[in-house]
Amino acid sequence: MGIIKEYDVIMDCLDNATTRYLVNDCCVLLDKILVSGAALRMEGQVSTYHYKGGPCYRCINPSPPDPDATLNCMEAGVLGPITGVVGSLQAAEAIKIIATGESAYSGKLMLVSPWDGIMRTVQLRPRRSECVVCGDSPTVTAPVDYVRFCGSGKDKVFKDASAEDERITCQELHSQSYR
């Protein structure tokens, strides 16, 4: 929480639930705006949480996903330019919030698939009054054990993606189905 308290707007681009819940909760507890981004395979998303009465991440995802049913960037891969698109959208959103006090993505989720040439925004459900961290009577008033909460007790061991046997050629990418 020490790093977060120094800033007005927090930006993340995380690939695991454990850290997403940690950053969200710290932002809510410190009353900070969270501009969240994610990229996986050939798609990305951006949303702004805990802004002007909008939902926090836990309002949208009250319970973490099954750790065995989710993938991270190391396991599923991510096309490099996707992170650039997501990061650019996040940067523009943070600048807009700081400069104008307005948000393009509070209560919304921008979905991007540059691979398919698709960008769309979907409306998220509103802030939940029963949310355990930002609700009317929060029960999470300090950071918790997020590894235990997310059920990822044995965090996945990551291999070195720079190793030659972990890289693929353009032809291999083309032959693989990422859908």
Side-chain angles (χ1 to χ4, degrees):
M1 288 185 40
I3 294 172
I4 291 175
K5 73 179 178 181
E6 302 296 323
Y7 301 94
D8 297 322
V9 179
I10 307 303
M11 295 171 49
D12 75 20
C13 198
L14 304 168
D15 74 344
N16 67 80
T18 305
T19 312
R20 282 182 200 273
Y21 282 97
L22 167 66
V23 171
N24 173 78
D25 292 2
C26 289
C27 285
V28 172
L29 294 171
L30 294 170
D31 197 27
K32 303 296 180 178
I33 303 159
L34 175 58
V35 179
S36 183
L40 191 66
R41 295 183 173 154
M42 298 175 197
E43 300 173 338
Q45 62 186 36
V46 176
S47 187
T48 298
Y49 297 110
H50 188 62
Y51 185 64
K52 290 188 176 181
C56 77
Y57 183 77
R58 278 206 202 219
C59 290
I60 307 305
N61 302 286
S63 301
D66 178 348
D68 294 326
T70 60
L71 297 173
N72 59 42
C73 292
M74 180 61 106
E75 296 163 323
V78 63
L79 188 64
I82 303 299
T83 59
V85 171
V86 170
S88 294
L89 289 169
Q90 285 181 274
E93 173 74 344
I95 291 167
K96 182 176 182 177
I97 289 169
I98 292 165
T100 70
E102 298 298 321
S103 165
Y105 305 120
S106 180
K108 300 175 186 170
L109 182 67
M110 167 61 88
L111 301 166
V112 297
S113 179
W115 191 262
D116 296 320
I118 297 170
M119 294 182 84
R120 66 184 179 131
T121 304
V122 296
Q123 190 72 35
L124 297 175
R125 68 179 135 222
R127 177 185 162 272
R128 293 175 49 240
S129 60
E130 68 276 6
C131 177
V132 298
V133 72
C134 80
D136 296 341
S137 301
T139 55
V140 175
T141 57
V144 299
D145 181 345
Y146 294 94
V147 172
R148 177 181 236 160
F149 170 69
C150 292
S152 54
K154 295 180 185 172
D155 260 353
K156 299 172 183 173
V157 176
F158 300 113
K159 297 185 285 184
D160 181 3
S162 65
E164 284 299 318
D165 64 336
E166 293 297 316
R167 295 176 181 229
I168 63 172
T169 67
C170 292
Q171 292 80 11
E172 290 170 320
L173 174 64
H174 181 68
S175 69
Q176 293 180 3
S177 172
Y178 282 94
R179 311 244 187 248

